[in-house]
Amino acid sequence: MLAIICLPSTKKRLQKFRYGPGVFKIDWALSEPVPFTASDCRKAGTVHLGGTFNEIAATEKATFNGKIAENPFVLLAQQSLFDADRVPKGKQVLWGYCHVPNGSTVDMTNAVEQQIERFAPGFRDTIIDRHIINTAQFEAYNPNYIGGDINGGVLDLAQLYSRPILSVSPYRTPANGIYICSASTPPGGGVHGMCGFHAANAVLKDIK
C-alpha cells in the first residue's frame, strides 16, 4: 500500500530496506520433558542452544551471508513445564526455531533435532509428532514476514533507527493520517510493544 501512495523519492528509499534471515520453526509433541544434560535447562522456560560463543557467531554469520548452518543456533520454548493445561497429562510440548537465509525453504528438521540431541541425548526418542513451518509458510501466514524474517528487517547500526527509512518520525507515512508501527520501525522486533507506543505518541502529537 505504501509503495502506491508514496512519492517516487520515498518509494525509492523504501526499496533499499534490507530484510534479515528467515526462520525455520518446529512444534513438537513429546512423551516427556526434554532430557537436557544440564539440570538448569530442564527448569527453564526458554533455552538457547548453540555451544560456544564462537560457534553461535559463526553459524549466525553464515546464515546472514546466505549459507545454511550445519549446527544452527536454536531457540527453544518449553512452557508446558510450567503450564500443565497446555498438554495431556504426563506429556509435554516444545517449540523452537533456527535462522535460515531469507526465503530459504531448506528443511532444517534434522539439523535442529540433531543440535537438541547434542545437549539432550535421547531427545528424539521422546518425539510423538512434529509440525514444521518454513519461511514461505511464515510469509503466507503473515505477509509482513518477508522471506520468513520475523524481525521486520535487518537490525544493525545502519537500520537500527532508520527503519524503514531515515526520518524525524519513522512512524508517519507520506499519506496524511496513515502511520506504521510494525517491527520495521524503531526499536525493531521483540516482545516489547515499543513500536506501537512510539507510533501512538506520534499520532497524539499530530492531533493536538
Side-chain angles (χ1 to χ4, degrees), residues 24 47-52 55-57 59-60 63 69-76 96-100 108 111-112 115:
F24 180 91
V47 179
H48 296 75
L49 294 181
T52 66
E55 283 183 83
I56 296 172
T59 57
E60 290 295 280
T63 302
E70 293 183 7
N71 298 299
F73 167 68
V74 179
L75 185 149
L76 294 171
Y97 70 78
C98 71
H99 289 126
V100 295
M108 295 293 289
V112 169
Q115 186 73 310

Side-chain angles (χ1 to χ4, degrees), residues 16-197:
K16 293 180 180 180
F17 187 76
R18 294 172 296 124
Y19 292 99
V23 297
F24 180 91
K25 181 175 182 283
I26 310 176
D27 293 273
W28 293 273
L30 306 177
S31 61
E32 59 186 77
V34 180
F36 288 112
T37 54
S39 60
D40 285 344
C41 290
R42 298 190 213 118
K43 298 177 287 185
T46 303
V47 179
H48 296 75
L49 294 181
T52 66
F53 175 86
N54 288 337
E55 283 183 83
I56 296 172
T59 57
E60 290 295 280
K61 181 178 180 180
T63 302
F64 190 82
N65 290 329
K67 300 176 182 178
I68 297 294
E70 293 183 7
N71 298 299
F73 167 68
V74 179
L75 185 149
L76 294 171
Q78 44 186 8
Q79 292 96 335
S80 59
L81 288 177
F82 314 97
D83 183 359
D85 290 339
R86 291 173 176 259
V87 291
K89 187 176 182 180
K91 308 301 181 184
Q92 294 292 331
V93 291
L94 176 76
W95 66 256
Y97 70 78
C98 71
H99 289 126
V100 295
N102 192 280
S104 171
T105 55
V106 171
D107 189 336
M108 295 293 289
T109 303
N110 185 63
V112 169
E113 293 183 353
Q114 183 174 291
Q115 186 73 310
I116 301 172
E117 187 82 19
R118 175 185 170 192
F119 299 96
F123 166 70
R124 282 196 170 107
D125 295 333
T126 72
I127 299 174
I128 298 173
D129 203 357
R130 69 175 65 80
H131 176 262
I132 67 172
I133 309 176
N134 63 28
T135 60
Q137 292 165 326
F138 260 116
E139 187 171 343
Y141 163 72
N142 184 340
N144 197 48
Y145 295 159
I146 304 296
D149 179 5
I150 62 173
N151 208 41
V154 171
L155 194 59
D156 59 11
L157 288 177
Q159 259 186 200
L160 181 59
Y161 296 106
S162 57
R163 19 188 336 115
I165 59 175
L166 183 60
S167 172
V168 174
S169 179
Y171 312 99
R172 297 187 181 96
T173 73
N176 187 40
I178 296 181
Y179 299 78
I180 57 175
C181 61
S182 72
S184 296
T185 60
V191 186
H192 47 64
M194 296 307 294
C195 301
F197 173 80

